[in-house]
Amino acid sequence: QVQLVESGGGLVQAGGSLRLSCAASGSIFSNNSMGWYRQAPGKQQRELVAASTRFGSVNYAGSVKGRFTISRDNTKNTVDLQMNSLKPEDTAVYYCMTYPRSYRWGKGTQVTVSS
């Protein structure tokens, strides 16, 4: 059974917005931190976009600060990524993951930003 499921990806014009959501099972959400990563076309590695720890702190990549917001709902076991002022360079497959109590990855959702 799939334990992390991303949704909300799609095609958007530059300057537009998208909201990604990741639904997790309670067993892996509890006492765990959540992060969003992305892998751009032609790149080998995934890069950290934003993270939300179980202690309440948040971190963002410098390239998305002021544009993206990560949030979590502990009653619904979800973590969202609100993406505003999107740029073509934001085009990537976006993945959610959990750490460090357990390491899980979703299958990803495609975000494409047109010029």
Side-chain angles (χ1 to χ4, degrees):
Q1 187 178 36
V2 177
Q3 294 183 290
L4 290 175
V5 181
E6 302 100 332
S7 63
L11 175 65
V12 66
Q13 189 178 24
S17 299
L18 284 174
R19 187 177 183 90
L20 306 183
S21 183
C22 177
S25 66
S27 62
I28 63 174
F29 197 91
S30 179
N31 295 320
N32 229 339
S33 299
M34 306 290 293
W36 283 96
Y37 282 72
R38 67 186 181 187
Q39 186 168 9
K43 292 189 177 180
Q44 188 173 356
Q45 294 184 335
R46 298 175 183 178
E47 65 170 336
L48 175 67
V49 177
S52 175
T53 75
R54 59 173 293 237
F55 306 110
S57 63
V58 296
N59 294 294
Y60 297 95
S63 60
V64 306
K65 281 186 176 180
R67 299 189 298 121
F68 291 10
T69 302
I70 188 171
S71 61
R72 62 190 294 160
D73 188 332
N74 293 326
T75 65
K76 298 180 179 178
N77 297 332
T78 59
V79 59
D80 289 1
L81 184 68
Q82 178 66 45
M83 305 184 295
N84 299 325
S85 301
L86 283 162
K87 305 174 181 179
E89 47 264 49
D90 294 320
T91 295
V93 177
Y94 285 72
Y95 302 85
C96 72
M97 61 88 66
T98 64
Y99 71 97
R101 186 175 65 82
S102 63
Y103 292 87
R104 309 278 185 175
W105 290 86
K107 293 184 177 181
T109 184
Q110 176 70 49
V111 172
T112 302
V113 184
S114 63
S115 301

